[in-house]
Amino acid sequence: MTRGIPARARLPHVSGAVALALVLIGGAAPLAGAAAPSPAPSSSALQLPVLPSGPDAGSGNCAGDSPTVMRQVPWAQGVLGLSRAAVYGDGAGVTVGVVGTGVSAKAGTLSGRVTAAPGADSDCVGLGTFMAGLVAAAPRDGAAFTGVAPGARIYAARGTDETGAADAALVARGITAAVDAGCRVVVVGAALPSKTPALAAAVRHAAERDALLVAPAVPDASVTADGTSSAPAGYWPAAAPTVLSVADFGPDGSRATRAPLPSGVDLAAPGDQLTGIGPRGTGHYLASGASLAAAYTAGAAALVRAHRPELSAAQTKDRLERTGYPGAPPRLDLNGALTGVLDTRRPSQTAPAPPLRVPEATGDGGAAADRAALLAGGGVALLTSLAAAAAVRRRVRAKAPDGS
């Protein structure tokens, strides 16, 4: 996972007036091609330790406690407008599956809301717990960080080995386990270069059971040492049509890597320099990657499915895409997804406006000429009548003593 702060290719500049307007309305995500109007991370945020990329190669030690607590609102929470979204609920009643490195049962802000498949209740790497915190970490006194849906429950399933290396067979089993456990939203941390029959079957199983799958459009580390990318046409499971494919962006509106995105990415969400929880303790870490953007989007999906329980998984996916801020891909608009009024009819069901029709003349040309002459004669008669009435009015005024 790319957890440092690499150089970013910036998007075209947004005008100062537009940027100021966006900041004044609450840090909304930018329009297409615009740099994100949210402020850069504060110095306090940058002093957070970076989540390790895996167990220490020498000692094998797992990710431990962070000594630093985030006391300022992280940039991503401002961009997503979590304080406004809280008016519409906290995701209670929805369970989100997290298929990744496991989710630690010792994470305090998830306490009492985590169940796990066998072997998935611990997290040596820390990434799965970080993702689960973005989805559902509860607020606590003295800390500003909170998850998108702090009332949702988490189901942990393993999609990697103990070192964090993803495996297609493990991901497929993790998806199936989460769906069978009743998860209405499932986020996958892996972006695999190709599909397998088992992975395709797991994706179909989720669709059949009305569970929305959310997955990163690219791996967290998608640039080689020489700065090039060997990305395939699409990563799995994100490339499946029923899966919500998510890319990442950072505080300045750019992506943290230079790798091109595959075609067909559905949505973009905060994914660079994010604040989140570790597998133990009460402190916070910094981390980056498209898997984290997928986790934020899964939290948004949980809020939508709790607030609008009548929506299917496919309808929830459609709502998140269609209410996004314009861009390529659109950017997650959490409050828009919760409150937007959409036309639910398919394009083929929308009746076109009837065209204006001018009656055509029937019969031969002589009849048409007669009608034209009749209309012209009527016009002349009308003008003659108006002129006569005006002459009468003039004579009446001339006879009146005061000319009135």
Side-chain angles (χ1 to χ4, degrees):
M1 174 178 179
T2 306
R3 299 194 177 93
I5 308 176
R8 293 177 294 279
R10 295 183 180 274
L11 298 176
H13 179 66
V14 64
S15 70
V18 173
L20 177 60
L22 290 172
V23 171
L24 290 176
I25 63 173
L31 301 180
S38 55
S42 66
S43 58
S44 297
L46 293 176
Q47 293 172 1
L48 291 175
V50 176
L51 186 69
S53 58
D56 184 82
S59 64
N61 291 336
C62 298
D65 302 351
S66 167
T68 309
V69 174
M70 184 61 168
R71 303 188 186 279
Q72 298 177 351
V73 176
W75 75 267
Q77 291 179 203
V79 166
L80 293 176
L82 296 194
S83 60
R84 298 191 299 274
V87 174
Y88 303 99
D90 60 1
V94 175
T95 300
V96 179
V98 179
V99 180
T101 61
V103 177
S104 174
K106 298 179 180 179
T109 51
L110 297 173
S111 178
R113 291 182 291 124
V114 178
T115 56
D121 59 350
S122 61
D123 183 15
C124 184
V125 177
L127 176 59
T129 305
F130 196 102
M131 291 174 62
L134 296 180
V135 173
R140 66 178 182 84
D141 292 341
F145 171 76
T146 183
V148 180
R153 296 186 62 84
I154 295 294
Y155 179 86
R158 191 166 290 282
T160 72
D161 62 18
E162 292 294 331
T163 67
D167 177 81
L170 290 176
V171 171
R173 287 200 294 269
I175 292 172
T176 301
V179 171
D180 290 344
C183 296
R184 300 178 66 193
V185 179
V186 179
V187 57
V188 178
L192 300 165
S194 61
K195 69 176 179 179
T196 64
L199 187 56
V203 171
R204 288 195 301 271
H205 181 61
E208 292 166 356
R209 296 285 293 272
D210 195 37
L212 176 59
L213 284 184
V214 185
V218 292
D220 288 342
S222 54
V223 177
T224 61
D226 61 359
T228 62
S229 172
S230 56
Y235 289 93
W236 272 76
T242 58
V243 177
L244 185 57
S245 170
V246 185
D248 55 303
F249 66 86
D252 62 357
S254 68
R255 294 189 60 237
T257 69
R258 291 165 290 172
L261 291 174
S263 61
V265 178
D266 298 316
L267 207 61
D272 185 26
Q273 302 180 46
L274 299 184
T275 299
I277 62 174
R280 292 182 294 173
T282 59
H284 298 102
Y285 284 100
L286 276 183
S288 301
S291 65
L292 307 183
Y296 258 140
T297 305
L303 278 189
V304 172
R305 299 210 74 176
H307 182 58
R308 300 286 302 273
E310 76 280 6
L311 297 179
S312 67
Q315 289 170 327
T316 303
K317 177 178 182 291
D318 178 68
R319 171 170 282 272
L320 288 166
E321 293 175 24
R322 292 172 60 193
T323 58
Y325 294 103
R331 298 196 174 187
L332 175 63
D333 179 358
L334 176 57
N335 285 275
L338 290 167
T339 63
V341 178
L342 301 179
D343 186 351
T344 58
R345 295 175 296 177
R346 296 178 182 177
S348 61
Q349 295 174 321
T350 304
L356 179 64
R357 300 185 63 86
V358 178
E360 297 180 357
T362 59
D364 58 16
D370 291 343
R371 282 192 295 274
L374 179 61
L375 291 173
V380 171
L382 176 61
L383 291 174
T384 302
S385 299
L386 293 174
V392 171
R393 285 195 298 273
R394 286 196 296 272
R395 286 195 296 272
V396 171
R397 285 198 298 270
K399 293 180 178 179
D402 58 356
S404 62

